[in-house]
Amino acid sequence: MFSNKNTKKAKIKENIIDDSTIKVIFFASTVIVIAVCLMGLISYRIAKYSIIEKLKSRDLKYIAQSITSKIDGRISRAKETSFILAKDPVIIEWLEGKEVNETIGIYPKEKITDIAKKYDYDNSFIVSKLTKHYWAEGGKLIDTLSEQDPDDAWFFSAMKSKLPIDITIDYNKERKDTFVFINALVGEGDNPLGITGVGLSLKDISKEFESYKFGDYSNMWLIDKNGQIYLSEDTEHSGKSINEFLPTSVVNKIVNNNISTNLDGEIFDYNNSYGETFDVVCMPIKSANWELVFQMPRSESISMVNGIKLNTAVASFVIIILIVFIFYIISKRISNPYKRAVLLSQELEKKVEERTKELKEKNDKILDSIEYAKIIQESTLPTRDELNSLFKEYFVLWKPKDIVGGDFYFVKRFKEGYILVLGDCTGHGVPGALMTMSINSILNHIINEENASNPALILRKMNKNLKETLHNKNNGNGIDDGLDAAIIYVSKNNKLIYAGAKIPLYKKDENDITFFKADTKGIGYKNTNDDFKFTNIEITFKDEDIFYITTDGYIDQNGGEKDLPYGKNRLRQLILRNEENSLEIQKSIFENNLNNYMNGETQRDDITLIGFKP
Amino acid sequence: MERLYIEGTKSTPEIDFDPSKNNLKISGQSYPENAFKFYEPIFQWVDDYIKDIQGELLIEIEFKMPYINSSSSKCIIMLLDKFQDAFDEGKDIIINWYYDEENESTIECAEEFKEDLSLPFNLLDSGR
């Protein structure tokens, strides 16, 4: 029983989640997934775009600016130092005296030594125009320059240029180091006494480069106007041209651009032959007519975007899961009442089914019982043989409304004739049938050879008898039962005597129909007095005349367009139309005609119609 | 006195007894399985109503009954008898019986009822 219930529930669940539900869920889920993915994609795009924007407009520039300012600062300081040396009156005096005065000489020598030591310069020097002596830090005379020596060319060209300050950059292959020399002219600009200055290695700046290095594949170069690389975080690049690392178009842009005019630097991007995007920043170094080039693959600069990508994907996934979960909970809540309604209706259906079955069983039982009652009732009705022996020709249309009924007919043969009784007891169905049974016994009891030819008397006796039987014992319960009846006594000399209690008689002869009215009182009813006298009517007939008697069921049957009773007139017309036919055929005509008139309406009352030739 | 209203069915007539208008109407076919059961509350109401009537009121009773089976017909007779008794006691009662011209049985039926009564009983063609 229990498992049965469970399987049933599962079945119901299956019913609830049918094709359309799945379609709705699928559709909703798809919409949610698309919406969330779209949202994620859009936010990723926006983040990526703003990151690139920031990178281009701020980050890259900021990096380049901080490096250039560092170099600038370094060079500017070296410039100042060189200037101070060049304007020193003691040094000027010493050089004017061809460095002979030892006393004066102590000061310049100490000075350059101090500067190199204390201010973190690699070199510090004084070169005399007059003696061509090269004094280095430590106060040592390390060389006497010669115009023939190409290594010393810088001195002579600087002297010739008469620029108060000149910067030379020198890449030393052996030491893999770049040195910057700041050369300042000593004395008056027109007639310089020599050159003094400092030299510094850019090694520490190169270290800075490394600290600014963004990714594994980014490059930072310090170049001059011709694109020569002096400094790179990758020492391999130093001394080479940027042509080796950048496409010509980019190099042209960098080199040909008048860098000094745009102090803010320039940022642009390009795609290499593999389709990878690179961002390039060029930043001029004011103090030295150089340029800082910072090149970096886009993929690296926005590598954090990959993190965003992952985060967005994870967030989207979590949101989808959450929404689906909430959606599931909500749909479950929504579908719950529906589910319960379905369960309830199924339960009700089952109950109705059970009740229907119960009712059907009971109905079958009752029907069986009534069917059996019908056999009993029919056994009290005259047999076909009996009727055939009495009438020349006849038909009986006996149609109880409910299997059994209150209509009955009765015949009895006597020496001189026979008697026909047609009765219609109040009610129909089982109560009617019960009445007929008691009437039957009353009839058997009161009709005899003596009174057979006096139907009115029989009716009177029936009335009295029935009233005694039905009413004496139960006065006041309101029941007023009885019957309508017609009694016909047919004698052998083509005469019959008719008496009717509300059941009239029709006689059809060759010309017309004669209607014999019945007495208006029924039998056994309260308003029919005990001694009410019914009326005998004597009728003579010809052999071919047909008599019809019927209970009110036939003429009272409703139908037709107006849903009115069939009526006596229709019956008269039908009898007239029927005269040519045998009684056997007439029976089916009467039956069919009424059925057509009813047109599906239910039968209202028991129907009996008897036609006979006596 | 409360108004008595019973909705009509296929086999029972509509009952509309309105004491405020002194108008009692019965309209519809009458062939219930148990006519007495149907009419009993109506009898009860009519008894109370008649007892209640004060002064010279004209009570109009309308019947529009195309079909009455025999047991219902007994009940209608009982009902008419109650009105007849009230009439005999001096109450002003008039009965109007409406029929359809084509419906001969209701005319016959009404005529039969009328025979036993002395109160004003009008047979009226409902088509007119």
Side-chain angles (χ1 to χ4, degrees), chain A residues 4-22:
Chain A
N4 218 356
K5 223 174 192 176
N6 276 350
T7 51
K8 210 160 210 181
K9 267 188 182 167
K11 221 174 196 179
I12 290 160
K13 207 167 189 180
E14 247 167 56
N15 285 346
I16 291 165
I17 303 175
D18 58 2
D19 269 7
S20 59
T21 320
I22 287 168

Side-chain angles (χ1 to χ4, degrees), chain B residues 27-82:
Chain B
S27 38
Q29 312 192 106
S30 179
Y31 55 103
E33 291 295 324
N34 190 343
F36 189 75
K37 195 175 164 191
F38 176 76
Y39 283 99
E40 192 172 23
I42 298 166
F43 295 153
Q44 192 61 50
W45 191 93
V46 169
D47 285 344
D48 294 344
Y49 176 62
I50 287 169
K51 237 183 268 169
D52 256 26
I53 300 172
Q54 299 292 330
E56 292 191 6
L57 283 171
L58 177 68
I59 296 149
E60 212 178 343
I61 300 153
E62 285 180 30
F63 286 91
K64 282 181 189 166
M65 303 186 77
Y67 171 70
I68 311 166
N69 73 353
S70 41
S71 55
S72 296
S73 147
K74 303 284 174 266
C75 294
I76 297 295
I77 287 169
M78 283 166 78
L79 197 62
L80 290 170
D81 283 346
K82 287 180 196 297

